[in-house]
Amino acid sequence: MVWSFSFFQPQGVAPLLAGTQAAGGGFSPTDAEQKLDLAWMRMWKETDLDKEPGAKTGSRREGKRELNGGPPHFLLDLRHYLGNSTYLDDHGPPPQKVLPFPSQVVYNRVGKCGSRTVVLLLRILSEKHGFNLVTSDIHNKTRLTKNEQMELIKNISTAEQPYLFTRHVHFLNFSRFGGDQPVYINIIRDPVNRFLSNYFFRRFGDWRGEQNHMIRTPSMRQEERYLDINVCILENYPECSNPRLFYIIPYFCGQHPRCREPGEWALERAKLNVNENFLLVGILEELEDVLLLLERFLPHYFKDVLSIYKNPEHRKLGNLTVTVKKTVPSPEAIQILYQRMRYEYEFYYYVKEQFHLLKRKFGLKSHIRKPRPRPEFFIPSPLETEEPIDDEEEDDEKWLEDIYKR
């Protein structure tokens, strides 16, 4: 489907959706949505996304606003559009609006959810667009003490803006420590597939290590490295049991101790944070659509990301991060994993539903032929280990340097 929507050349949402219907999308805008479309057209016509990062916008009813991120008001407007009510129903005639440019973005990336691919893209994009990409050398500390939270939030908040900070870390509440809450983004994937990818990555690494004969996790004992995945699951080894399997939800729940306990409390708090603090939580299985929406929502950071991602040279580098020697557990073992990860799946399906709703509202079709069965009945197809494209004539780092120079 041709994507015709652009923040730089605003168009109505309803005509776009009407075009989707004509193409077989099966969505017809209601009268309320058409009325809302007019309000959004006014808002976007008054948007100035070409201002220099960090500049002030025009005045709003409540006074001038620094373009310092979150929670930006357009997030709230978007929530109304995606819900059962409309902006006009809830608020009456819309006030004069300016779509803010968030100059503070945090990608608290979930492990084994495509984060290395996205970070590679961000390195290229930061050079092209001039934003400050702030990374961390700490990769394995996601849970922080109160003092560690304060120190990290201070370091992030004092970074040169506009910045995008990225690290494997559970959600941080900046406002709790008196800071401005940034815009959060993240990506998750099917929980069982994420677990399997991590299980084998810890043991055998990816194609980069395979080609260089590198040993992943040298301190791991041989009997642990070659532990059969079915034995690990069926005999309830700690690595294949809770709380180790309760992995994705804490990234959205936060730093509270209960966020690490599998249960309804952590699940509901994670959902609440997704709704209130995350601009977008995408699904790795639909990464191109995730990148497309990021480019539309955060053009100062992600403009041209899709064309870079589709570049054959980038594909070649991306394939080198694919985990090797993955095998598929038995149906019995997978069934047990689903039972142990029921809260993870409830969260995954919630995020997936919200993501598909967002795509639908912006005219992107979700290519799903029929509803997916519930986890307890669904057995995934065998996982395939992708191999990188063979091309020994061009140096990977040279291509990266060429991209940086553009």
Side-chain angles (χ1 to χ4, degrees):
M1 176 179 177
V2 177
W3 178 269
S4 61
F5 184 75
S6 171
F7 273 154
F8 297 101
Q9 297 178 344
Q11 301 181 31
V13 178
L16 177 65
L17 295 176
T20 304
Q21 181 189 29
F27 183 85
S28 177
T30 64
D31 291 339
E33 286 166 334
Q34 290 174 341
K35 290 179 182 178
L36 178 61
D37 177 54
L38 298 177
W40 275 55
M41 287 178 66
R42 293 192 204 102
M43 180 175 72
W44 282 332
K45 285 178 180 177
E46 293 154 2
T47 297
D48 188 0
L49 287 176
D50 292 325
K51 285 181 178 290
E52 288 296 320
K56 291 184 178 180
T57 68
S59 60
R60 296 175 55 99
R61 286 187 175 181
E62 64 270 32
K64 290 188 177 181
R65 172 182 174 85
E66 290 287 346
L67 297 181
N68 60 355
H73 285 271
F74 77 90
L75 274 179
L76 303 178
D77 298 334
L78 187 59
R79 303 302 183 202
H80 283 289
Y81 183 60
L82 296 179
N84 295 325
S85 62
T86 69
Y87 187 99
L88 292 176
D89 291 338
D90 289 347
H91 298 277
Q96 296 295 315
K97 287 186 175 294
V98 174
L99 193 64
F101 159 55
S103 59
Q104 297 168 272
V105 179
V106 172
Y107 171 34
N108 64 321
R109 58 188 193 269
V110 180
K112 303 311 297 175
C113 290
S115 61
R116 285 181 296 163
T117 296
V118 177
V119 168
L120 176 59
L121 290 169
L122 286 171
R123 288 174 181 165
I124 298 169
L125 292 168
S126 66
E127 293 289 335
K128 287 177 66 70
H129 303 320
F131 64 86
N132 183 19
L133 179 62
V134 184
T135 60
S136 173
D137 293 330
I138 302 174
H139 304 291
N140 298 317
K141 190 172 179 59
T142 58
R143 308 167 184 174
L144 309 179
T145 66
K146 182 178 179 180
N147 288 336
E148 289 171 336
Q149 293 178 57
M150 293 175 61
E151 186 66 22
L152 180 56
I153 288 174
K154 177 183 176 182
N155 291 339
I156 297 173
S157 300
T158 55
E160 181 182 354
Q161 299 184 22
Y163 69 73
L164 190 152
F165 173 78
T166 178
R167 171 180 161 178
H168 294 301
V169 64
H170 295 168
F171 175 79
L172 294 165
N173 189 342
F174 282 60
S175 58
R176 178 188 175 195
F177 300 100
D180 292 326
Q181 191 71 5
V183 167
Y184 272 85
I185 58 173
N186 217 321
I187 300 172
I188 65 174
R189 71 190 290 190
D190 178 275
V192 165
N193 285 334
R194 194 219 67 82
F195 163 74
L196 294 177
S197 179
N198 184 66
Y199 184 89
F200 292 105
F201 178 75
R202 288 186 64 245
R203 287 159 171 78
F204 307 112
D206 54 26
W207 278 105
R208 294 175 301 178
E210 185 84 354
Q211 289 186 342
N212 296 318
H213 306 288
M214 296 172 58
I215 298 177
R216 184 73 187 179
T217 321
S219 60
M220 182 179 289
R221 295 174 301 175
Q222 288 298 94
E223 56 266 30
E224 181 182 0
R225 186 181 307 278
Y226 293 99
L227 175 64
D228 185 89
I229 183 70
N230 292 297
V231 173
C232 183
I233 297 169
L234 297 177
E235 297 187 11
N236 208 23
Y237 278 65
E239 185 178 0
C240 299
S241 307
N242 283 314
R244 295 280 292 276
L245 293 178
F246 194 68
Y247 183 87
I248 297 175
I249 287 177
Y251 276 88
F252 300 88
C253 179
Q255 298 291 334
H256 193 286
R258 293 186 67 184
C259 288
R260 303 191 287 272
E261 300 173 4
E264 292 288 340
W265 189 92
L267 170 64
E268 293 305 319
R269 181 158 176 164
K271 289 180 181 178
L272 181 65
N273 278 331
V274 166
N275 291 333
E276 293 188 350
N277 293 290
F278 283 80
L279 169 63
L280 179 68
V281 182
I283 301 297
L284 181 62
E285 293 86 349
E286 302 170 42
L287 181 57
E288 287 194 12
D289 288 341
V290 176
L291 298 177
L292 185 59
L293 289 176
L294 285 172
E295 184 172 357
R296 296 310 189 258
F297 286 145
L298 299 172
H300 287 85
Y301 297 90
F302 287 95
K303 188 176 185 296
D304 299 325
V305 65
L306 204 54
S307 60
I308 296 172
Y309 174 71
K310 290 183 176 181
N311 186 303
E313 297 299 332
H314 181 271
R315 292 280 190 170
K316 183 179 75 170
L317 294 181
N319 284 341
L320 293 175
T321 66
V322 174
T323 302
V324 298
K325 299 183 180 179
K326 287 190 289 188
T327 60
V328 183
S330 67
E332 179 186 3
I334 291 180
Q335 207 75 351
I336 290 175
L337 281 180
Y338 277 133
Q339 294 169 6
R340 293 174 183 170
M341 304 174 80
R342 60 186 181 276
Y343 293 112
E344 293 276 275
Y345 267 99
E346 187 171 342
F347 180 74
Y348 172 73
Y349 283 123
Y350 175 80
V351 168
K352 190 172 186 177
E353 181 181 7
Q354 298 300 312
F355 180 66
H356 285 169
L357 182 59
L358 184 63
K359 286 172 55 178
R360 181 183 174 192
K361 293 295 184 181
F362 282 87
L364 288 173
K365 291 175 62 178
S366 297
H367 299 286
I368 298 179
R369 298 176 182 175
K370 59 182 180 179
R372 294 278 294 272
R374 298 304 297 170
E376 56 266 29
F377 304 113
F378 173 64
I379 303 299
S381 57
L383 302 173
E384 297 181 357
T385 301
E386 301 178 17
E387 297 189 11
I389 301 172
D390 291 327
D391 185 358
E392 299 178 356
E393 297 180 0
E394 186 171 0
D395 180 53
D396 293 334
E397 295 299 326
K398 182 179 183 301
W399 174 79
L400 259 181
E401 292 173 0
D402 292 340
I403 291 291
Y404 285 157
K405 292 176 183 177
R406 294 177 188 173

